[in-house]
Amino acid sequence: MTGLLRGELKAFLLIGTMFALMAAIACQGERGPAGATGAPGAPGNPGNPGATGPAGADGADGADGADGADGTTQIAGIIVFDASGPSTGAAELTGGNASITIIGGGFDKGESISVSAKKSGFDKLLSSSTPKTNDSLTIGNENGAFELTVDLEGWDAGLYTVLATGDKGHRGASAFLLVDKIDG
């Protein structure tokens, strides 16, 4: 019996829907006049970008550049000695003071050479210079070598870099160690 009621309910709903549609169609009148144009609104959001097109052909290679100047080897060498003894690369501190001798080679004859050491992150000039022109008094001899003895006052024990720079472009670097003198 339940199946019979379901079938009748379906038929009733189908017939009711048909009458509602016919009534909606029958009630339609003639089209009225067009309304006034509305005020312009804000433009919409831009659309998504289109697909990327294919890559173009490679252009022709440019002309080769001019050759650069020939490189030079302007490397000089330096060594640091304890001025009071034969120790190489190390010097003894006595009360925060030491005396070192720096020798160098590979410079030009007559080349003016500035010698400095890194101390507390700053360059400290070790070579003397003329007061007016600030030219270094350390000069390469006829063999391109020099010797410079320097008294270091108030320095701490540690490892330091020493740099010699010539006015003709030659450069040399080394390191030296200052150690506290141990009594005994």
Side-chain angles (χ1 to χ4, degrees):
M1 176 127 175
T2 321
L4 183 62
L5 287 177
R6 275 193 207 152
E8 288 176 4
L9 182 62
K10 287 181 187 176
F12 177 73
L13 287 174
L14 183 61
I15 293 170
T17 304
M18 275 180 24
F19 280 120
L21 285 173
M22 287 184 356
I25 291 172
C27 293
Q28 185 175 5
E30 290 183 31
R31 180 174 285 191
T37 305
N45 292 329
N48 292 329
T52 303
D58 286 344
D61 289 343
D64 288 343
D67 288 342
D70 289 340
T72 59
T73 306
Q74 295 185 330
I75 299 172
I78 56 175
I79 299 174
V80 180
F81 293 91
D82 186 335
S84 63
S87 176
T88 303
E92 286 186 359
L93 281 169
T94 304
N97 299 325
S99 185
I100 61 172
T101 298
I102 305 161
I103 62 170
F107 296 90
D108 284 347
K109 176 182 177 181
E111 187 169 4
S112 179
I113 304 161
S114 294
V115 182
S116 62
K118 288 278 188 192
K119 181 180 181 201
S120 302
F122 296 98
D123 289 331
K124 179 167 176 53
L125 188 62
L126 301 178
S127 54
S128 300
S129 59
T130 58
K132 289 184 180 181
T133 62
N134 206 26
D135 292 335
S136 178
L137 297 176
T138 304
I139 306 293
N141 68 10
E142 65 275 357
N143 299 315
F146 73 90
E147 177 182 356
L148 174 65
T149 299
V150 181
D151 291 325
L152 305 176
E153 297 179 8
W155 288 57
D156 296 323
L159 188 61
Y160 296 91
T161 295
V162 62
L163 178 67
T165 305
D167 65 347
K168 296 182 182 173
H170 296 91
R171 294 174 56 119
S174 188
F176 65 96
L177 181 65
L178 292 179
V179 295
D180 283 324
K181 183 175 181 177
I182 301 173
D183 293 328

